Amino acid sequence: MELLTLLSKPSREFTPIPFWFLNGNLIHDEIRRQLNDFNAHGVSGVVLHPRIGLAKRIKYLSKEYFSYIRTAVKEAAALNMTVVLYDEGMYPSGSANGMVTAGRPDLVSQGITLVSESKPGDEVLAQTPQGVLVVRKSGGTIRGIHWGEDDGEPNAPESADILNPEVVQRFIGLTHDAYYRELKEYFGNTIIGFFTDEPSILGRNVGNMFPWTKGFAQLFTEAGGKLENLTALFEKTENADTRLYHQMILDREGGVYYAALSGWCEQHGICLMGHPHQSDDIEVEKYFGIPGQDLCLRWIAPEKDCLVGLDSTLGKCSADAARLMNRRRNSNECFGACNKDNNPWQLSGGDIKWYTDWLAVRGVNLFIPHAFYYSITGKRKDERPPDVGPNSNWWKHYKLWSTYLRRLSCLMTDTTALLPVAVLCRNRALEPDAVRPLYEQQVGFQYLPESVWRDCRVQDGKLHCRGMEFSAVIDPEQRFPDAPALPKDLSPLADLQCSPAAPQLRSAHFLRAGSECWFLVNEGNTDLHTTITLPTTKKVGQYDLWAGKAARAQAKDFALNLPSRSSLLLFTCEEADFAALPEQPKPLLLPVPEFTLKKADGIQVKKTYVAEVEYSAEQANDDYPLMELDAEEMAELWVNGKFAGVSFWNKHRFDLKGLLHPGSNAFKLVVTGSLANRYGKRAVPYGLQEASA
């Protein structure tokens, strides 16, 4: 059937497209070697990201700089890989590594602040009982690409005022136009996008200020705003003037910065990519050809309540914006510095799997791993680690990861989402508390930000918006009082019925390639057991997206057993397709061997165990002999000299079919620990649990 054909060998278009940190003493042959290595591991695209640590001799946007960029793009084209260009020296975007403001102090970022008295150079907006409201330079910076240009360092580049049209045109001229002059023959084929990275109006390391720009005071007062009432911003209270201010700043940022970049990209046959400054910035997503967001710094994590706070909304933010704009893809810059316990390089395969599933079940269908490092020499290994690519401990097995990411991206692209609930929201107010019950009771929903409210109407007892219809509405401001409210009993709206309830189960319900689909994810840290009933009378199949295996399932009273870190696809199929699916085999759980530690290599962070085990003919010849092991972290198993597979999270499960024989069997288990043991602040236990206890 079409769905399984698509998933069995997903197209190269669904490749992960990692940030590739160009952070060392670049060499043409090494650039080519690394790209070939990526391609061999199932990675068919890269974001060319100049990064701190770039050799001093390579000046940003210089002739020499572009010689290396051209080598990378030319080699990618030869390999049929895609390239996304990066629009800044590092981040946040908009300053061209300080070139925009060089010799132009009038173009640096501005802000308003409340002070006891003004200083020379300040523009006084209002004298108020709370203090003097003034405009001044923000003092914000960006992170640069050479040593000495990082946060707090003397050469950190100045942040530019991206609310100023002159600044944005200067930025485009320095960066986008320069890239096009150098690489125009690759635009629209090898080069598919330009990545803009969390543009910040004020810049980094700014406190007690709010965004402003030249001439904004006049625009604000002409719109009816009273400048003196903006003191409420600093008191964290709201009034009509602060609401007007926020709306005007949002409109200005969209119209001046994002619209200009979006228009340039469209004119040059590529997409504006990247992500806005904040996780719930949904309104500016409409300017992106591929809307995006950023999951980094362990803002959410398996050990946290992942349905709390603004960052819990980032997956749906980009996916729902893409759906409203009829964009096929939406992206996430994921895994960046998601280290556990503030220990650099402590990011396990189990965490990577959790983050990947967390994003996919919310609709993300283009993964931009942060990051693959050109070099981890010296201080580079300490700059926003870990490397989740060639310098990770799982790189030799990375095709398993790239294939899984491709399958998820393929699955979640070109879908028709089945979403019964609309959630009306404002920018930076995506109602995480209100949607929590929907997640926990497997009810699909669609964010409708303020800019699309004009396209909404109530008809025949439902809310309609841009070709979608909703049976219930969360509407905090009662903009549509005639719309059907969310009922207390959510079960009629649920994607499926669970008995018992399964609040850690996440579901995405959609149509894909002629099948009705339910993508299910265990978002908890314990195994999930429940019985589900699907709302269909058709035959149902199941597909393990990690293993790439399909089997029969059933629509009613299906015993769902999802181990921690697991996902499962259920799909409807015709009788003939169902008949062609195999029965799900019942595993024969084998006893765990008594392993002996043979070797511990602290340099390689590996422990090798061996064991000899006797098995009967019945055990050895079973259709599904399964072994489960408790070990931290990556486990590789050999049985009788043959590779049985690799596992990246507990419990480690190995299918031993065809590897056993009656009598004595030789086992070798190699457990590779976290690279935090080599590069981090503290050691992380690894190996068989009983050995490391």
Side-chain angles (χ1 to χ4, degrees), residues 109-111 113 115 117-119 122 134-138 209:
S109 295
Q110 298 183 36
T113 188
V115 295
E117 58 181 354
S118 62
K119 294 180 179 180
D122 287 345
V134 301
V135 181
R136 61 175 55 158
K137 295 176 182 178
S138 74
M209 266 193 166

Side-chain angles (χ1 to χ4, degrees), residues 293-308:
Q293 269 295 344
D294 181 20
L295 193 167
C296 68
L297 297 172
R298 221 170 177 91
W299 292 331
I300 58 168
E303 71 276 6
K304 296 179 179 179
D305 184 342
C306 61
L307 300 180
V308 169

Side-chain angles (χ1 to χ4, degrees), residues 246-257:
H246 286 303
Q247 187 60 55
M248 290 184 66
I249 288 290
L250 176 63
D251 292 343
R252 179 86 175 196
E253 183 183 24
V256 171
Y257 182 81

